[in-house]
Structures are given as structure tokens and as C-alpha cells.
Amino acid sequence: MEKAILVGVKLNNEKIPLEESLAELEQLARTSGAEAVTVITQNRERPDRKYFIGQGKAEELASLCAVNKPDLVIIDHEVSSTQIRNLEDFIGVKVIDRTELILDIFAQHAHTREGTLQVELAQSEFQLTRLSGHGVSLSRLGGGIGTRGPGETKLEMDRRRIRKKISQLKTELEAVAKSRHLLREKRRSSRIRVGAIVGYTNAGKSTLLNAMAKAQVLVEDKLFATLDPVTKRTYLPGGQVILLTDTVGFIQKLPHQLIDAFKATLEEVNEADFLLHVVDSSSPYMEDQIEAVYKVLEELGAIAKPIVTVFNKMDLKELPKKYLKQYSPAVFISAATREGLDDLSIVLSKLPAPPA
Ligand SMILES: Nc1nc2c(ncn2[C@@H]2O[C@H](COP(=O)(O)OP(=O)(O)OP(=O)(O)O)[C@@H](O)[C@H]2O)c(=O)[nH]1
Ligand SMILES: [Mg+2]
């Protein structure tokens, strides 16, 4: 385990409470293999130009680093490359931001060809934004006598190299996506309805698929355990067959490079006839997580699909009945104990048939 100091920053215009975002950052850090030794926080009007956190916080962080000797510092925000570099120079410890942390987890969890390609694409796009951040200082370094010539600056070369890689990755991904598209066409022509299981990461989506379809999908108390969509067949009362697809989990402040790179995978959501929105009822942040999922669904253009809300983990926490009405059609279940699965099957069998 690497040792990390976590830095929580809440800017004035932000809604998510510091503690909530930090609790999640800690889980993200653990998932990627880092243990939080200390946490510091700051409320700011807007980011500090030089360090993102203020000068005073940077000094506090420097002395904490001297005492705790962490392997890295993780800032719970998207931070510019210049600010990261300034901070690293100042405290003498490696600094990463939330986006980089999430990309690292995705890289560790990608197994299939498609998953790996998508992560590589996201990382390349991230590098590109980082490069433009370095822009000013690098081009100054690269400028001057002897470096000008007819050639290009190092920055431009790097940019071009990354852009080329991005376009190669996209071409490869398109090929993979095409075969997936064929599969979907086949499914559609069989007129079997397809439901996409969506939800916040760690809500229990894979556990539900396993319970509904006797599947063997990896279940872990880790964030983003699932990166690749898995589709399984399941039977409803009355013998009706449907297909259920497990998908990548959503999260607050999901880096846009990821949504972009994972378009192919997330297309499963767009192509589905209905959505099963799995909610972790035991989370103290349940309602914010529901909102975060809606936001991503909106970005994907899938919010208008029929949504069945599945309040999971009722073995851990029972919710008031009002939620069933508020989120109707909705059910309370425990994917772990299989409680409520029959109710869910009944709700699913009553969904209107897809247009022919
Ligand atoms: N107590 C309890 N735990 C559950 C239940 N369903 C899932 N879990 C646990 O919650 C954790 C996450 O479950 P997963 O099925 O991997 O969740 P997921 O939504 O697929 O997560 P990602 O793929 O990481 O986004 C695991 O530790 C599961 O054992 C439930 O009904 N009750
Ligand atoms: Mg999963």
C-alpha cells in the first residue's frame, strides 16, 4: 500500500459536501492501492492561480509531508498541470488529481481488448489536456536560438504524436464497436427486450446480474470493478426471456475524458429498451448518487428511457415506503440475500413491450 495525503477542496459554487466527496476519494484511493494517512481540507472562493490550494494551505501541506513522508498527495479536484507542478516543486512529493486517480483505477481494471483500448484513449486525451496546460512554459523552453528553425517545438511534436495515437485508438475501437453493433442487431431482430443495469459504482449492479441470471460476474467491494459490459439472459414469470447488461458504474465528477472514451461501452445504455437503476440504499449519500446517475444518463441522452429503480442492500438498511412512490416503478431488494427479486421480476414483466 502506498501512503497518501488527501486534500479536499470545496469551491464556493460547488454543491457536493466536502466530507462526502472526501469519503469517496478515500475509497477511490484504496481501490487504486493507496491508504490515506492524513486528510486536509479547504473551502475557497475560487482556485489559487499558483497552487490551486492557497499559499497557506500549501505550507501546511509541506510540513505535513515532512512529518508523514507520504508517497503521494491526491487532490480531490481537477487541477491544471501547471498548478500540479508548482505544488510538487513546493512540497517535494508527487501530486495527482482526482481525474488521474480514476484513470489509474480504470487502467488497473481493464481486461478485455475493448476495455484496454478505451482506457488508453482516455489516458491519451488526458495527456493532451495536460500538455496544453504546460504550453506556455514549454514553448518558452523550446524557443530561442537554435531551437527555432523550420522544425516544430517539442510541444507540437508531442501533441502531434498523441493526436496520432488517439486517432489510431479510435479506429481500433470503431472496429470493436462494429462487432458489438452486429451482436446488438442480432439481439434486436430476435425481439428480445434488453435492459441495461446502470447505477453508481459499488451499488451492487454485478451482484444483481449474478442473482438474476445465475451469471459469474466479478463482484468486489471496490469502485469500478466492472468496466466491460456483460450481457446475460434471464427468465421472467410466465417464461418471458429478457437480456440484462451490466455496465460501468457512474460517479460524481466523472472525468469527461472517461465518458468520451467509454462511449462504445456506454452505448449499451443507449441501445437498451429499459434501464434498471440500482441504488445503494445503505449509502448516506444515496440521493446525491441518484442525482449523479441521472446527470450522466442525461449526458448520454438516455434519460427518457423507462427506468425501474432498484433500491438494493435492503438487508443493510430499510427505506421508508415513500421512495417506492417517488421513484415508481421501484422495488426494494437485496441482491445479496435475493430478497425482493420476485417483486423485481414482476415489475419487469409488466413493462410495456418495445416498439416493433
Ligand atoms: N449487504 C449487501 N451487500 C451487497 C448487496 N449487493 C451488493 N453488495 C456488495 O456491494 C459491493 C459492490 O457490489 P458489486 O456488485 O460489485 O457492485 P457494482 O455496482 O457492480 O460495482 P462496480 O462494478 O464497481 O461499479 C460488494 O461488496 C457486494 O458484495 C446487498 O444486497 N447487500
Ligand atoms: Mg460491477
Side-chain angles (χ1 to χ4, degrees), residues 31 109 197-210 217-227 246-250 278 280 282 311-317 333-339:
T31 298
H109 289 183
I197 304 180
V198 298
Y200 210 75
T201 181
N202 218 42
K205 300 178 294 298
S206 300
T207 309
L208 177 64
L209 181 67
N210 288 343
V217 180
L218 173 75
V219 168
E220 270 192 304
D221 193 10
K222 283 189 167 176
L223 306 186
F224 302 118
T226 307
L227 284 193
D246 191 9
T247 64
V248 58
F250 301 164
V278 181
D280 180 352
S282 74
F311 291 98
N312 188 31
K313 309 198 187 180
M314 69 182 279
D315 55 305
L316 296 181
K317 185 170 174 195
I333 69 152
S334 164
T337 67
R338 310 186 61 95
E339 227 174 319

Side-chain angles (χ1 to χ4, degrees), residues 268-286:
E268 294 288 336
V269 176
N270 279 330
E271 300 280 331
D273 300 304
F274 63 92
L275 307 178
L276 273 184
H277 177 191
V278 181
V279 175
D280 180 352
S281 320
S282 74
S283 167
Y285 312 119
M286 182 184 86

